[in-house]
Amino acid sequence: MTTMPRTRTLALAAFLLLATAVAPAQRAPASEKVVVRIDTAKTIQESLTESPDSRSVAFVTRSGVRQAVVVRGQKEKDYDGIGTGGVVFSADARRYAYLVKDGAKFRVVADGREGAGYDGLGTDPVFSADGKHLAYVARMAAQQFVVLDGKELKRYDGIGMRGPVFSPDGKRLAYVAKAANGVRVVVDGKEGKSFDMINGNTIVFSPDGRKFAYVGVRGSAARVVVDGKEHPFATNPDGAPVFSPDSRHLAYVGAEGGKAFIVFDEKKGAPYANVADGSLRFSDDSRHFAFMANADGLWYAIVDSKRRGGHENIGVSTLKFSPDGKRFAYVAISGAKQFLVIDGKDQRYYDGIPEGNPVFSPDGTRYAYVAKNGPGWVLVQDGKELAPLENYGGESLSFSPDGKHLVCVALTRSGMSVMVDGVLGNAYDVILMRRGGKIRFDSPATFHYLAARDNVISLVEERLR
């Protein structure tokens, strides 16, 4: 896929034509509430982290040779150093944690409270999805172990680089552990089968948390292990299995006799010259399944076992179902051109379409995307070009919950602004979109975001009239 410039520059004039089938939204005056004032001389800018609800921030500040975290406007204790990952928030934004160097020891500080001191720490702390549990990897002498909610688990010769993985319901925990008798996945404290290698990135739990799967390598053969049972088909050591949203189905890429195929609920599918790992997709209702495969030198999107297209290439990460599962889209590649294919119909050719596109409205009836068009960009909605763009900030494009409005971020001569259906909002120096921040709708008519002006970060809340 085309590599995108990191700037979020968007032209004001480009959006003045953004009127669609619905009338442009009228906006009430924005409400601004100061979140924190930034001292640029002391703040480590790359540490700035937006909370998952886009209502507060955290960052690291310097005080001489010491460092401290500022979270929700409050400065915490000074330490010899703060972990490079900065502050990690729980998904509900209620909790936070970070790594510190405290003299000769390393600690995790969670919700303002210091944990035990260790000789070293591994990856950043990890919260369970419900925010109730916190886990991280610690080291004492030559041994590593997982610390769960302050309790040290069994010690091993090493813990996998990915660190601990929680099930979606937060009730189960898995990680890769190395001992003299091999490498194993430990789930809920129970050690699995021994392998020569296990890629921690392949550990996945089913959405309901009841099942787990991973890929283990023994000799030259990689196998998928599901709930402790080793599947017979060889697979890619880096190819993670995929559970359906309803947890009833499991799919992964198998390999045999120089051919690749999908293994779906332990049944071998049709053979192809190649199947792209990372392309496997279930619809949200679990009724449909798609992947990308090569046959006779062409790439196809395989949807419910039926071939679609036949292209020079397809963007591996672009296969996407609409939220209602009724529509399907992907980006195809032909020479130097790229084009969206939606519902089996080729759209206009462009110089590039970035990953993350298209976006669907919540009911699946509408879609929008941006595309590289010569020196600039163009915004496309429901197959029609709406406006030229000077440049593009991809993370900002989204529909309102009722699907009636399209929002994005624009850069004007006055600064950055949120625009809704072509209506320009207040100008700020920066709208925070870097680490999980986004424009978040609280209802079809209200939304909020974080913005900075003159080194003051504010929570901006807006209402459509």
Side-chain angles (χ1 to χ4, degrees):
M1 302 304 294
T2 300
T3 300
M4 297 299 103
R6 295 307 302 167
T7 179
R8 294 186 172 86
T9 304
L10 302 176
L12 168 60
F15 287 91
L16 298 181
L17 301 177
L18 197 58
T20 65
V22 295
Q26 300 298 312
R27 298 161 71 171
S31 168
E32 298 181 11
K33 179 181 178 181
V34 174
V35 172
V36 67
R37 299 178 185 275
I38 300 292
D39 185 340
T40 56
K42 297 181 178 180
T43 300
I44 299 176
Q45 294 188 12
E46 57 269 25
S47 70
L48 185 65
T49 303
E50 301 95 322
S51 61
D53 60 1
S54 293
R55 291 186 176 275
S56 62
V57 298
F59 56 90
V60 178
T61 184
R62 302 183 186 91
S63 180
V65 296
R66 306 269 280 174
Q67 296 180 350
V69 160
V70 177
V71 60
R72 302 190 184 107
Q74 301 296 316
K75 180 178 177 293
E76 301 204 336
K77 181 180 175 179
D78 288 322
Y79 291 97
D80 296 322
I82 306 294
T84 55
V87 172
V88 176
F89 284 98
S90 60
D92 61 8
R94 295 181 180 181
R95 303 188 63 190
Y96 63 93
Y98 54 94
L99 310 181
V100 304
K101 186 178 187 300
D102 186 17
K105 294 296 183 180
F106 296 84
R107 307 177 189 273
V108 167
V109 177
D111 306 321
R113 295 185 293 273
E114 294 180 346
Y118 298 105
D119 294 340
L121 294 172
T123 56
D124 288 334
V126 178
F127 283 102
S128 58
D130 58 10
K132 293 181 179 180
H133 304 289
L134 175 68
Y136 57 90
V137 178
R139 177 179 61 81
M140 289 297 286
Q143 290 191 308
Q144 288 187 317
F145 47 93
V146 170
V147 180
L148 174 62
D149 297 332
K151 180 182 178 181
E152 297 176 9
L153 304 184
K154 183 177 177 178
R155 298 190 177 193
Y156 292 94
D157 295 336
I159 301 294
M161 292 183 63
R162 182 185 178 186
V165 179
F166 281 104
S167 60
D169 61 5
K171 296 179 179 180
R172 309 184 70 183
L173 182 71
Y175 53 91
V176 176
K178 181 181 179 181
N181 57 352
V183 180
R184 303 169 183 268
V185 168
V186 180
V187 183
D188 305 330
K190 298 179 180 179
E191 297 177 355
K193 294 184 177 183
S194 177
F195 288 91
D196 298 331
M197 184 190 78
I198 295 171
N199 184 342
N201 291 323
T202 68
I203 297 176
V204 290
F205 281 96
S206 59
D208 64 7
R210 296 181 180 180
K211 305 173 184 177
F212 68 92
Y214 59 91
V215 176
V217 179
R218 193 181 292 112
S220 60
R223 306 287 183 184
V224 170
V225 180
V226 183
D227 296 335
K229 177 185 176 183
E230 191 171 330
H231 280 211
F233 299 107
T235 188
N236 186 330
D238 298 323
V242 178
F243 282 101
S244 62
D246 64 5
S247 301
R248 295 181 179 180
H249 307 290
L250 177 75
Y252 63 91
V253 180
E256 188 176 75
K259 295 289 186 178
F261 48 89
I262 291 293
V263 180
F264 192 98
D265 294 343
E266 300 190 52
K267 295 180 181 179
K268 177 182 174 182
Y272 296 95
N274 194 4
V275 174
D277 277 305
S279 70
L280 282 60
R281 299 285 187 277
F282 281 95
S283 61
D284 290 348
D285 60 8
S286 301
R287 294 182 178 181
H288 306 287
F289 176 70
F291 61 94
M292 173 182 159
N294 186 286
D296 303 322
L298 296 176
W299 284 97
Y300 296 86
I302 313 298
V303 184
D304 299 332
S305 301
K306 297 180 180 179
R307 294 185 184 183
R308 294 194 183 183
H311 309 283
E312 181 180 327
N313 212 335
I314 293 175
V316 174
S317 62
T318 66
L319 278 67
K320 186 178 293 188
F321 286 100
S322 61
D324 60 4
K326 295 180 180 180
R327 311 189 74 178
F328 179 74
Y330 60 91
V331 175
I333 301 169
S334 178
K337 298 294 183 179
Q338 299 180 12
F339 56 98
L340 186 75
V341 180
I342 184 164
D343 302 331
K345 298 180 180 179
D346 296 358
Q347 305 296 298
R348 180 174 169 177
Y349 282 51
Y350 291 102
D351 296 319
I353 299 175
E355 295 181 2
N357 285 274
V359 295
F360 284 99
S361 61
D363 64 3
T365 61
R366 309 180 71 189
Y367 68 94
Y369 65 98
V370 295
K372 189 80 169 63
N373 193 27
W377 298 80
V378 64
L379 178 63
V380 182
Q381 182 172 291
D382 299 329
K384 298 179 181 179
E385 292 187 357
L386 298 181
L389 308 178
E390 179 181 315
N391 214 320
Y392 167 61
E395 299 92 341
S396 66
L397 186 64
S398 64
F399 283 96
S400 59
D402 59 7
K404 293 182 178 180
H405 305 291
L406 187 65
V407 300
C408 48
V409 174
L411 179 73
T412 74
R413 294 179 182 179
S414 301
M416 296 181 74
S417 301
V418 169
M419 304 193 74
V420 183
D421 301 336
V423 179
L424 180 67
N426 291 345
Y428 300 93
D429 296 335
V430 177
I431 293 176
L432 277 63
M433 303 283 292
R434 192 170 62 89
R435 280 194 175 185
K438 62 184 297 185
I439 305 165
R440 298 185 183 275
F441 275 87
D442 303 300
S443 74
T446 59
F447 61 93
H448 72 271
Y449 52 93
L450 292 166
R453 184 193 294 122
D454 298 328
N455 299 322
V456 175
I457 296 177
S458 298
L459 169 65
V460 183
E461 296 180 301
E462 296 203 47
R463 177 177 295 275
L464 305 178
R465 294 187 293 193

